[in-house]
Amino acid sequence: MGKSSKDKRDIYYRRAKEQGWRARSAFKLLQLHDEFQILHGLKRVVDLCAAPGSWSQVLSRELYQKQNQPDAKIVAVDLQPMTPIDGVTCIQADITHPKTLHKILDIFGGEPADFVCSDGAPDVTGLHDLDEYIQAQLILSALQLTTCILKPGGTFVAKIFRGRDIDLLYSQLSYLFEKVICAKPRSSRGTSLEAFIVCIGYTPRPGWNPKLELNKSTEEFFEGANIGKATNLQFLDLPDPEERKIAKFVACGDLNDVDSDATYSLDNESRLPALDPVQMPTAPPYKKALEMKRRGDLVRR
Ligand code: SAM
């Protein structure tokens, strides 16, 4: 989070800085927890696509400070490096690579996770269809890894975008979890298609032994679970299109709280001090350009 007038206008952005969260996304996980109580009694937790780390901060505070569970283990994974967080093992890795799963399992001593969350977002290209496709693949990759590591009865939470084919994802998820809910926290902008699937009660498909392998498509991966032909609804053994699963939609967080889309003029705005970012970016994409500028190598042509 930068230091700009934005922290006077976007209330969640400002609050995140005031409360020491590295990103405003912290409030999304907190509001999901308020609604569904998903963080109680967890022992092994995986935070996928975790940088800069506000969800890991929430997990760390909840498990170690509030619930006093010193034995809990939290693993955070991201392509980007992360500044350390108390009790969190950070791995710089790609969640789509099978090695990442093994690294996490090593940290858990081979034991399964109780909870996996993913707030993943790929870099946008601006090509809408491509962006939507990559985002959908990232969610499926998170789900693949989850099916390999989550214990039966465990919980999976992931960011989704409610695009054209989202009911297909709900159908697939409802094959794997007892309850699938689509939740929109108050802190997630109403104008954005962003929402979160809260999948409770992992129920592995009987006889299916999910295995992550390089060069295996997500479709092939889920074939063994009988939900593989993901792009073609006719292959789902749903008897009637009318029976396609539609996830329950829940708005969560205090609905009387501030609106994340609105621009507020805060009292004494002019006197509010600008706050420093909670955590400076560790490897921002503009880092190289800044270094070149400092050396005088950046020449305008
Ligand atoms: N939940 C985080 C927090 O609270 O600070 C914010 C996550 S941010 C919106 C999305 C993250 O997804 C980025 O840091 C990006 O590097 C990560 N990401 C995207 N693709 C990834 C991949 N294949 N493997 C690991 N991380 C990935």
Side-chain angles (χ1 to χ4, degrees):
M1 286 193 295
K3 184 176 178 175
S4 73
S5 66
K6 191 175 165 194
D7 74 339
K8 293 184 181 167
R9 289 178 281 114
D10 179 336
I11 302 237
Y12 285 103
Y13 182 85
R14 170 96 195 170
R15 270 190 195 167
K17 285 183 174 182
E18 286 170 349
Q19 296 177 19
W21 304 116
R22 293 181 183 182
R24 71 197 288 294
S25 350
F27 296 111
K28 299 173 191 170
L29 184 58
L30 286 167
Q31 289 168 354
L32 290 169
H33 175 53
D34 281 350
E35 183 71 31
F36 302 103
Q37 302 297 304
I38 42 183
L39 305 181
H40 281 307
L42 303 176
K43 288 278 181 230
R44 285 173 298 275
V45 171
V46 186
D47 181 8
L48 299 174
C49 302
S54 77
W55 279 26
S56 289
Q57 285 181 293
V58 170
L59 292 164
S60 167
R61 286 192 200 182
E62 185 64 39
L63 269 58
Y64 301 124
Q65 291 176 21
K66 284 198 177 168
Q67 298 178 24
N68 191 23
Q69 297 218 58
D71 301 339
K73 286 185 177 163
I74 304 171
V75 178
V77 184
D78 202 286
L79 292 172
Q80 304 292 329
M82 275 171 66
T83 306
I85 297 170
D86 276 350
V88 178
T89 308
C90 300
I91 306 179
Q92 188 176 357
D94 184 347
I95 68 157
T96 67
H97 199 290
K99 271 190 188 162
T100 306
L101 168 69
H102 299 299
K103 283 185 192 162
I104 305 171
L105 278 169
D106 278 351
I107 295 165
F108 288 165
E111 295 292 316
D114 314 294
F115 179 87
V116 181
C117 58
S118 171
D119 188 25
D123 285 344
V124 283
T125 64
L127 300 169
H128 186 72
D129 285 348
L130 181 63
D131 288 339
E132 202 174 305
Y133 174 77
I134 297 173
Q135 176 67 39
Q137 286 300 311
L138 194 60
I139 295 164
L140 287 176
S141 294
L143 179 62
Q144 281 183 305
L145 191 146
T146 300
T147 57
C148 295
I149 205 170
L150 191 62
K151 72 171 190 194
T155 303
F156 173 57
V157 171
K159 174 158 73 190
I160 54 165
F161 289 91
R162 288 163 298 149
R164 274 171 306 191
D165 297 325
I166 199 63
D167 52 346
L168 176 59
L169 178 69
Y170 296 151
S171 292
Q172 291 171 313
L173 289 167
S174 59
Y175 272 66
L176 296 167
F177 293 89
E178 278 165 30
K179 253 196 223 167
V180 178
I181 302 144
C182 175
K184 181 79 176 172
R186 181 74 175 157
S187 51
S188 170
R189 292 190 174 86
T191 47
S192 151
L193 287 177
E194 176 187 90
F196 294 84
I197 36 160
V198 178
C199 307
I200 298 169
Y202 177 48
T203 317
R205 300 285 285 167
W208 182 46
N209 182 17
K211 210 162 165 237
L212 273 185
E213 285 169 55
L214 266 187
N215 304 325
K216 196 176 188 183
S217 70
T218 47
E219 198 170 271
E220 286 165 330
F221 177 90
F222 287 111
E223 242 161 33
N226 258 345
I227 57 173
K229 298 285 179 192
T231 50
N232 200 338
L233 269 178
Q234 72 195 17
F235 288 95
L236 283 176
D237 52 357
L238 298 171
D240 183 327
E242 292 302 309
E243 289 188 27
R244 279 165 63 179
K245 301 276 189 332
I246 296 178
K248 189 170 154 193
F249 185 86
V250 173
C252 54
D254 179 356
L255 299 184
N256 293 320
D257 202 350
V258 287
D259 178 350
S260 49
D261 277 311
T263 294
Y264 289 88
S265 169
L266 301 174
D267 288 344
N268 302 324
E269 186 177 327
S270 54
R271 276 182 281 139
L272 269 181
L275 296 174
D276 285 329
V278 172
Q279 183 61 58
M280 292 307 281
T282 37
Y286 48 82
K287 190 174 172 189
K288 192 169 171 202
L290 283 180
E291 281 166 6
M292 286 172 74
K293 191 173 173 198
R294 224 169 280 133
R295 288 198 307 266
D297 293 346
L298 205 61
V299 189
R300 192 186 287 259
R301 294 181 199 277

